[in-house]
Amino acid sequence: MTTSPLQFVPPQDFHARSRAALDDVQLRQSFKGAMTFLQDKRRSQFGDDDELQRLRDLGEAVRKNALAKLPALLERLEAKLTAAGATVHWAASPEEANAIIHGIATARGAHSIVKGKSMASEEIELNHYLEARGVKCLESDMGEYIVQLAGEKPSHIVMPAIHKTRADIGALFAEHIPDTEYTEDVDRLIQTGRHTLRNAFVEADIGLSGVNFAAADTGTLWLVENEGNGRLSTTVPDVHIAIMGIEKVVEKLEHIVPLASLLTRSATGQAVTTYFNLISGPRRANELDGPRELHLVLLDNGRTQAYADEELRATLQCIRCGACMNHCPVYGRIGGHAYGTTYPGPIGAILSPHLLGLESTADLATASSLCGACGDVCPVRIPIPQLLVRLRTEANRSPDAEVEHPLRGQGAKYSRGERLVWRFWRGAFGRPGVYRMFRWAATRLRVLAPTQQLGWTKYRTPLKPAPRSLADLLRDKNQAQ
């Protein structure tokens, strides 16, 4: 089996990629069907709106409680895991996280890693880093495996290969998996993928996974999955490395239960996911399976920047369900790859500036109509539209402005010309005489206005002129006579 080299795309090229995506009719049709399906599935799981709102209130309270106590909970989690025989590592940046994982692999002479689904490992470009140093990484989640073969990043945080058709996957398997015939039969494609991956769990030197939630009171890592590959990745190899963002910790194990209920129903419309994996340490002396070593890498990578600001801290409440993406009219038309970031869609637009800086992600905050759909469906009530407006403000703020919690890349979209324009508008609308003069001039210069709707409205149905009133029709008739 061979994989294609990873295709890197800088997030600052968002406008060019989004235009290309809008011109791709097949992509738009595929995403429209997929988003409608996921919206219907979610709606079917929340038939009782009162129950949904109470559960959202509870989920929000759990996440806010954990974030309010975050430093203490992380230390408590570390103490519990260490007492159980695990090793906890702290990584401030992707470079540190990659070096830690590579160091573990080197110390054990490891040459292969089998991976369960982990968005944090995507975030730090772990596969690319390790393969450049002679350590092969194999994705075992079917969607991740497909995009790995294609040399792409996931286009959705829950369904990484949602942009691929059956024909695309059939061609990939036929090209990269030896002795595989082209087919578009879904069952045969799934069986081909499973057969190819099966031996990887036994042969791998290290298993790596993400973490959905971690309970500080018990030192438990909670993993959510549907395919069983996460369970195999974390139990079959002798070494298990888990990587998680520092915001994933909660105070008590019981607090995870409502979050898990919200996660599965919001993400894929399932009443419950197929597998819940609870890991509280390496194999004990009297146990027959499980890893002999457990390592947890706690990743910051800009999260403390969001945490320091009381308003932006709400970004870290996210449980990675993808519901905001499934309901976003912008994401539904351009897909995930247009964003050029690990986390696309509305959640990516408010999280990526902290991970990568506003200088490369400022355009993402404007990739929204502010319709509010993302905030309406967020299971933990993140005020995404409000945070998008805040990030737009920070991107347009003067780079030299003194603020309590400056963001990396503050002022990335700052323009003196734009500030002059807004100063003009403020002056014109604040003085009746100036406003009347401006209105007089504007009505006579309207011939200079563009005749074509520009921007994202180009891809919508043009606005229809308002119907004329009976009085207008009679007046025109009398003037004609």
Side-chain angles (χ1 to χ4, degrees):
M1 183 199 72
T2 59
T3 59
S4 299
L6 185 62
Q7 302 166 8
F8 291 95
V9 288
Q12 55 264 39
D13 291 343
F14 169 75
H15 288 293
R17 286 194 304 276
S18 60
R19 283 193 293 270
L22 288 169
D23 289 334
D24 189 333
V25 177
Q26 181 179 343
L27 179 73
R28 293 180 65 191
Q29 289 177 342
S30 297
F31 266 89
K32 180 180 180 181
M35 296 302 102
T36 300
F37 172 76
L38 290 169
Q39 291 171 21
D40 291 342
K41 289 279 287 182
R42 175 190 174 276
R43 195 177 300 114
S44 69
Q45 289 297 326
F46 293 116
D48 185 339
D49 188 63
D50 289 338
E51 184 234 0
L52 169 60
Q53 302 311 323
R54 288 194 299 270
L55 194 55
R56 291 179 73 200
D57 290 341
L58 180 57
E60 179 188 24
V62 167
R63 295 301 295 127
K64 283 189 171 181
N65 173 70
L67 292 173
K69 305 174 181 178
L70 184 59
L73 293 184
L74 288 170
E75 291 181 350
R76 190 177 178 188
L77 175 67
E78 179 185 28
K80 286 288 184 179
L81 282 169
T82 302
T87 304
V88 178
H89 309 265
W90 298 74
S93 66
E95 293 77 17
E96 287 187 22
N98 285 327
I100 288 168
I101 296 171
H102 181 243
I104 296 170
T106 301
R108 283 139 195 86
H111 298 287
S112 63
I113 293 179
V114 63
K115 295 176 59 187
K117 185 170 173 60
S118 168
M119 292 305 296
S121 71
E122 292 282 353
E123 181 183 323
I124 64 174
E125 304 284 5
L126 178 65
N127 292 9
H128 178 74
Y129 180 92
L130 291 180
E131 289 187 16
R133 290 158 178 80
V135 181
K136 184 178 178 62
C137 294
L138 179 65
E139 299 286 352
S140 63
D141 174 89
M142 188 59 67
E144 292 277 357
Y145 175 64
I146 290 168
V147 296
Q148 184 182 30
L149 286 182
E152 299 173 351
K153 283 175 172 277
S155 62
H156 193 285
I157 61 176
V158 177
M159 292 148 289
I162 196 171
H163 60 291
K164 294 290 187 186
T165 64
R166 289 180 293 178
D168 294 333
I169 298 169
L172 271 175
F173 282 10
E175 177 184 356
H176 294 284
I177 302 176
D179 304 321
T180 299
E181 295 182 356
Y182 175 84
T183 180
E184 295 183 19
D185 182 84
V186 175
D187 289 336
R188 287 181 60 190
L189 290 170
I190 293 296
Q191 291 304 319
T192 298
R194 286 177 177 172
H195 178 75
T196 304
L197 293 169
R198 192 164 295 152
N199 290 333
F201 300 108
V202 177
E203 296 171 354
D205 300 309
I206 293 175
L208 187 139
S209 75
V211 179
N212 292 95
F213 309 106
D217 64 335
T218 60
T220 301
L221 309 181
W222 185 303
L223 281 64
V224 179
E225 57 155 334
N226 272 320
E227 299 175 16
N229 53 18
R231 181 161 297 182
L232 290 168
S233 300
T234 60
T235 58
V236 177
D238 278 343
V239 180
H240 170 208
I241 301 174
I243 178 170
M244 83 172 205
I246 57 175
E247 81 278 15
K248 295 294 188 69
V249 67
V250 300
E251 185 174 12
K252 299 179 181 180
L253 184 63
E254 64 192 69
H255 289 173
I256 298 178
V257 177
L259 296 179
S261 176
L262 284 165
L263 173 60
T264 56
R265 292 198 275 175
S266 299
T268 55
Q270 294 172 271
V272 65
T273 196
T274 309
Y275 298 97
F276 287 130
N277 303 319
L278 280 67
I279 302 168
S280 298
R283 183 193 304 189
R284 273 68 165 181
N286 61 341
E287 294 178 338
L288 300 178
D289 60 9
R292 300 182 188 279
E293 291 183 39
L294 172 61
H295 297 264
L296 173 64
V297 180
L298 294 169
L299 177 65
D300 178 356
N301 191 25
R303 288 164 173 81
T304 50
Q305 174 179 274
Y307 182 80
D309 188 287
E310 188 173 348
E311 181 182 23
L312 297 175
R313 184 180 299 178
T315 305
L316 303 180
Q317 292 171 206
C318 178
I319 61 174
R320 304 294 192 271
C321 68
C324 61
M325 300 161 62
N326 300 342
H327 291 76
C328 175
V330 176
Y331 174 87
R333 283 159 178 78
I334 64 176
H337 286 157
Y339 292 82
T341 54
T342 301
Y343 306 100
I347 185 57
I350 63 172
L351 179 60
S352 298
H354 303 292
L355 308 184
L356 302 172
L358 276 168
E359 58 268 31
S360 60
T361 60
D363 287 332
L364 303 186
T366 61
S368 170
S369 63
L370 296 182
C371 65
C374 51
D376 290 342
V377 300
C378 177
V380 289
R381 297 192 186 279
I382 301 174
I384 298 177
Q386 176 183 327
L387 300 182
L388 288 170
V389 172
R390 169 68 189 282
L391 289 170
R392 293 180 185 186
T393 300
E394 297 302 330
N396 287 279
R397 190 189 299 277
S398 171
D400 302 324
E402 294 186 6
V403 295
E404 186 176 1
H405 300 292
L407 303 188
R408 182 156 56 104
Q410 172 185 305
K413 302 291 286 184
Y414 176 77
S415 167
R416 294 184 182 278
E418 185 175 325
R419 290 183 69 86
L420 288 174
V421 170
W422 285 112
R423 187 175 297 176
F424 166 77
W425 278 104
R426 182 176 63 186
F429 279 79
R431 297 175 175 83
V434 176
Y435 174 73
R436 285 193 293 271
M437 186 188 314
F438 172 75
R439 186 182 62 183
W440 179 89
T443 56
R444 284 153 180 79
L445 296 174
R446 75 171 103 188
V447 67
L448 301 178
T451 57
Q452 183 184 26
Q453 296 180 17
L454 302 177
W456 69 283
T457 55
K458 176 183 176 182
Y459 298 93
R460 301 182 70 207
T461 303
L463 300 176
K464 295 180 180 180
R468 308 191 69 197
S469 67
L470 179 61
D472 291 334
L473 294 173
L474 291 174
R475 183 177 62 251
D476 291 347
K477 184 177 180 180
N478 291 332
Q479 289 175 351
Q481 291 175 348

